[in-house]
Amino acid sequence: MGKALSVDLRKRVLGAVESGVSGRQAARRFEVSASSVSRWRGKLAAEGEIAPKRQGGDRRSKRIEAYGQAILDAVAASPDITLAELQELLEHEGLSVGIGTIWRFFDRRKITLKKRPRMPPSSGAGL
């Protein structure tokens, strides 16, 4: 993903446009795309600012987070529940998600569900 251009550059480009230079001429002068100049002008008119939005981040977990308490309650009621069983439970609730989505839900909370305790090392392991 590309890096957002600085607010300083945006101000200089829009300052040139305000002084009478066309958007395309300002884009050529400052070596940015004409569409960027157009978007910045629209953003300034609509929002009153030209700062870039935050990039990246998780934008899809809101769907499963809405069912977070139901998932945690199901695990509390049946600690040995599998991810596939949780997937079926969510399907009955009206949410279709993959196993990986459920796994990431638990990973965000640092919850690990182990089926059995770890075995001690064997006596011949150090040989």
Side-chain angles (χ1 to χ4, degrees), residues 22-40:
S22 74
R24 288 187 185 278
Q25 289 172 336
R28 270 191 300 253
R29 182 190 308 170
F30 292 98
E31 297 181 353
V32 296
S33 69
S35 63
S36 291
V37 176
S38 177
R39 281 195 315 273
W40 297 340

Side-chain angles (χ1 to χ4, degrees), residues 1-6 10 36 39-40 43 50-59:
M1 178 179 268
K3 189 175 179 183
L5 295 173
S6 70
R10 293 169 185 234
S36 291
R39 281 195 315 273
W40 297 340
K43 183 174 173 82
I50 55 173
K53 292 181 182 177
R54 291 187 61 201
Q55 292 184 342
D58 179 20
R59 290 181 259 155

Side-chain angles (χ1 to χ4, degrees), residues 51-72:
K53 292 181 182 177
R54 291 187 61 201
Q55 292 184 342
D58 179 20
R59 290 181 259 155
R60 297 183 302 173
S61 67
K62 286 185 268 186
R63 289 179 50 224
I64 194 165
E65 292 296 335
Y67 294 87
Q69 193 57 49
I71 295 170
L72 296 174

